[in-house]
Structure formats: structure tokens, C-alpha cells
Amino acid sequence: MPFSRRDFVKTSVLGAVAAGVGTRAQAEPSTAQPHDSQSGSYKRPIIICAHNGLNYLEDAFAFLKSGGDTLDAALKVVKGPEDDPNDTSVGLGGIPNEEGVVELDACCMHGPTRRAGSVGGVRNIKNVSLVSKAVFEHTGHVMLVGEGAERFAVAVGFPRENLLTDHSRKVWLLWKEYHSNEDWWGPGLADPHWQPPDTKPDVKPSDDKPQSQLWQERYRRLEEHATALGIAPELRSDAIHKVLFPPTGTIHCSALNEKGEISGCTTTSGLGFKLPGRCGDSPIIGAGCYTDQDVGSAGATGSGEENIKVEGAHTIVENLRHGMSPQEAGMDALKRIVRNYNNDMTKLRFVDMTYYILRKDGAYAGVSLWEGYEPGKPHKIAVHDGTRRAENTVPMFKGSSQDFPPEPKVPAEVKKEYLK
Ligand code: GLY
């Protein structure tokens, strides 16, 4: 499909949102743009994905280059983090729901045959990205959820296994105990260290103590709990951070071959300590992933609830269809999130969203609402087009997103001491 600047259609939202929002004008990533990206005639194999796929790109790219299918190449990438017990955002070892059960979401789209599959809230099956492909291969459906999806996966040959690693179980227990002043979780009355809630150090901020002292006591208590649970010293501050600010990790991957075939997939364990049954954007075709063989492919990581409301991946692919560059298309989707909050920066700083965009001619972009989660750690897009690399995403706003929920401001000196 030819992409002409004349076709460029400015959506009304572009103008509506700009006021009061400091967007950063940055050039399209230049290193890997095809020479004739406007014509759409230049074809080359390329895979893009979220940063946690970087280590799996080499094999997948070799497979793609040797004639492998584009969806199978993308699935090869995301299977890496799904199988990795140390990636707590995807598959085995994912942070569980509030009941301590890992529930996974995934979807995929196969451009050449225009098929799509999706699974949501799946327990006990590690490679849900592959299950999402099996949905369109073995059924006339597009989306299966919960127990039905698990039974389907077993029926087509996926093994049932315990997805809760010892570490993710301990992190969940730490979360449970931290939130358990008024229930039966945590040390009971008979425990020698038990104290009545109103004298415990993790008291509410309504006390007269200065914030820094409260937070110091709170972290110390969390560290004590983490030690008692046997969480390794080098993993403690990460575990405490996850308990205080539940993460939403995910991986998306899109792949294009030299015939111009294109596919995409997204997989996740979703929001840490979510309500059982919560599905984020990742299994929603059009939100977490969308591929159109005529146009391109896009996917998302970040705040699932926000992305569902703008159908980010579909919005981006439609923007590409109307002539926007990958970066413009992604920025427009981000602007819709900004619009949903009426440009209210006090709320938007708690939203984190990254889009990965691959146009059918090989042009690509990674865009994010904020530069990263914290200073010095920018969001990245991983790319392989013959050279494997990670590039910073293009942010809409300068600075870092902030952890949610918005706990009272943690004094910098306390954060530095405890959340290394
Ligand atoms: N983006 C992953 C999720 O919100 O579940």
C-alpha cells in the first residue's frame, strides 16, 4: 500500500489536545528507516518488540530471514520472557493476582491470512501467546477466557503447570502481609513480634510523625517481612517496590518479512495483585495488539485500562492507513489518553504507556507517554533488521511517570536508602 503525504489526514483530536500539553518534537528514528519509506515498495525483514524481548531477537530474526512465518517469528521472541521465571511480568513467574494465582492474557494477529486469536485470564498454562494462535488454528472463535481457555489449551496439548515461582509467591505474601492490619494474614496474636495495629510502625500518615520517619519505619518493616519470608537480599528492594506500586509488565512483538507479510502478538501476566478475572489491554485485539496486512502492526505495554479506552493499537494502524508516520500515529494515540484526562497532569503522571509501531514498508517507531519509570532508565524499543539493538522511545512528556497508587510523597533520602 503506497503511503503518500497527500493522504495525511489530521484527526480533530490532534488539535483538540495540544493546548497545555508540552509535546516534544523529535525526529523519527533515523538509523533504520527504509530509504523509500514513503513509497512502501522497499521490503526487508525486521522485528520490533518491547525491551524485554531483546535477548530473544537473534534466533527469531534468523528464523524470519530463512523464510519462517512472521507470526511464528514474533511468537519465538515473546516465548523467551514467557519461559523465563525471572521475568515477573509475563508467563512463568509472573506476579499473581490478589489471591496469589497467576493469570495470563495474550493475543496475536496473522497478517497474511488475516486471522486473530486471543485468551484472557488463563491459569496454569505458561505459553499463552501460543495458545492465542491455537485459538484461530483449532476453533472458529477469536477469544477464549478463564477456565474454558485453560481447558482448550490442555485439549490441544499444552501442559498444565504451576506458574507461581517461589519468588513470585514470596512477593505476593509480602504484599498480602503489608495490607493486612485488619485480617488474619501476617504474624498473629501469638507471634512474639505482634503489636496492636495502632502501635505498629507502619501507621497511617495521619500520625504526627514526619513523613520521612513514617516511611523509614514502613520500609524497615517491609524489609523485616521480606527477610522473614526468605526473599534474597539482592531481590528485596525490587520486591518492596512491587508491593508498594504494583507493576504492569508485558511484551509486544511485531515482525515483517521481505515479502511484506506482517504479524504481531502481545502477552502478559497483567497488573500485579489485580482482582481475579481482570483482563488488561493485552488480550484485546485492537488495544494490546493490532495488525493489518495492508498497513502495519502495533502493540502496547503499560497501563492496560487506559489503552483499552483508546484502542491504542487499532488507532495507530488506522493512523498509518491515513498517512501518518509511525511516530505521528503513536503520538496521536497517546494524545487520546491525554485527552481522556483533559490534560490533567496531576493524573497523567501516574499513567505509563508505550507503543511499538511497525509499518508495512519497514518504518518503525517506539513512543511513550513519559521518558521512563525513573530518571536514567528510559523506555526502549528493541529492534532487529540485521543489527540487533535497543533504542530509546520518543517520549511525549519529559520526565518519568510516577508509581501508582500515589502514596504520600516518599522523601528522596528514604527512597534512596531503601529502593536502590
Ligand atoms: N498492559 C498490561 C496490562 O495492563 O495488563
Side-chain angles (χ1 to χ4, degrees):
M1 176 188 175
F3 292 93
S4 148
R5 301 299 299 173
R6 278 171 308 174
D7 293 338
F8 184 87
V9 176
K10 271 199 172 130
T11 59
S12 56
V13 75
L14 271 171
V17 171
V21 177
T23 58
R24 270 182 102 183
Q26 289 209 2
E28 192 85 343
S30 58
T31 47
Q33 297 299 308
H35 302 303
D36 58 348
S37 63
Q38 300 305 323
S39 77
S41 61
Y42 183 94
K43 301 290 190 308
R44 59 176 182 153
I46 176 170
I47 306 178
I48 63 160
C49 64
H51 191 224
N52 47 347
L54 181 68
N55 291 339
Y56 307 99
L57 279 174
E58 213 66 78
D59 283 355
F61 187 75
F63 171 82
L64 184 70
K65 246 193 128 194
S66 66
D69 177 72
T70 47
L71 180 54
D72 290 338
L75 289 167
K76 267 184 188 296
V77 174
V78 305
K79 186 174 182 296
E82 280 182 342
D83 287 344
D84 179 1
N86 297 317
D87 189 321
T88 56
S89 71
V90 184
L92 176 67
I95 296 291
N97 68 18
E98 66 177 20
E99 293 175 353
V101 181
V102 181
E103 285 184 340
L104 305 178
D105 302 331
C107 79
C108 67
M109 293 190 82
H110 187 239
T113 57
R114 299 185 188 277
R115 289 182 294 175
S118 159
V119 288
V122 183
R123 301 177 172 195
N124 304 315
I125 309 287
K126 181 175 59 179
N127 297 122
V128 281
S129 59
L130 297 174
V131 180
S132 74
K133 183 186 175 199
V135 169
F136 74 63
E137 283 179 322
H138 294 284
T139 81
H141 302 310
V142 168
M143 185 171 197
L144 297 175
V145 299
E147 196 189 328
E150 181 183 339
R151 293 218 302 259
F152 163 76
V154 171
V156 295
F158 288 85
R160 270 201 180 95
E161 56 194 297
N162 179 16
L163 304 181
L164 197 61
T165 57
D166 196 47
H167 179 66
S168 56
R169 182 183 61 78
K170 286 173 179 168
V171 173
W172 170 72
L173 270 177
L174 186 63
W175 176 81
K176 199 81 181 153
E177 293 189 12
Y178 177 68
H179 291 91
S180 69
N181 282 350
E182 286 114 29
D183 64 21
W184 290 91
W185 286 93
L189 206 56
D191 187 284
H193 303 296
W194 185 88
Q195 292 171 294
D198 58 350
T199 63
K200 274 173 146 180
D202 52 353
V203 283
K204 306 272 182 306
S206 54
D207 286 20
D208 321 334
K209 295 181 185 177
Q211 282 294 328
S212 59
Q213 192 184 336
L214 282 169
W215 274 99
Q216 243 154 6
E217 290 169 351
R218 190 171 291 180
Y219 281 124
R220 203 171 303 131
R221 187 167 179 78
L222 271 163
E223 276 212 315
E224 280 168 19
H225 275 316
T227 308
L229 287 168
I231 296 176
E234 67 277 13
L235 300 177
R236 266 177 222 155
S237 67
D238 180 62
I240 291 170
H241 196 272
K242 285 190 166 82
V243 164
L244 292 172
F245 310 108
T248 56
T250 300
I251 179 164
H252 165 78
C253 184
S254 288
L256 171 75
N257 66 15
E258 56 197 12
K259 289 188 272 181
E261 295 169 342
I262 191 164
S263 296
C265 60
T266 300
T267 178
T268 190
S269 55
L271 178 64
F273 320 117
K274 61 194 173 187
L275 271 65
R278 177 263 188 191
C279 280
D281 56 329
S282 303
I284 308 296
I285 291 172
C289 179
Y290 193 76
T291 304
D292 185 323
Q293 179 53 45
D294 296 337
V295 181
S297 183
T301 61
S303 308
E305 279 72 11
E306 304 313 326
N307 190 36
I308 289 172
K309 289 185 283 185
V310 299
E311 283 287 286
H314 182 263
T315 294
I316 287 167
V317 171
E318 286 309 298
N319 286 341
L320 293 178
R321 188 194 308 281
H322 294 134
M324 288 189 197
S325 72
Q327 186 178 313
E328 288 166 338
M331 282 294 171
D332 174 67
L334 292 172
K335 283 174 182 171
R336 293 176 194 221
I337 294 174
V338 174
R339 173 205 60 191
N340 282 354
Y341 284 100
N342 298 318
N343 302 346
D344 182 346
M345 300 307 285
T346 57
K347 292 185 175 174
L348 286 165
R349 67 205 171 101
F350 296 109
V351 176
D352 190 78
M353 182 56 57
T354 299
Y355 290 120
Y356 312 84
I357 305 142
L358 179 59
R359 203 168 60 186
K360 201 196 157 185
D361 61 358
Y364 68 91
V367 300
S368 50
L369 195 61
W370 296 96
E371 286 172 302
Y373 294 120
E374 54 185 287
K377 288 196 183 165
H379 287 307
K380 288 179 186 290
I381 177 173
V383 183
H384 203 324
D385 57 0
T387 309
R388 186 178 67 113
R389 58 193 180 277
E391 297 174 359
N392 292 353
T393 58
V394 179
M396 174 171 277
F397 300 132
K398 284 188 178 184
S400 311
S401 58
Q402 299 212 346
D403 292 316
F404 191 86
E407 298 273 356
K409 202 166 161 44
V410 185
E413 70 275 14
V414 179
K415 215 167 185 175
K416 208 166 145 210
E417 188 181 349
Y418 288 93
L419 294 181
K420 293 176 187 100

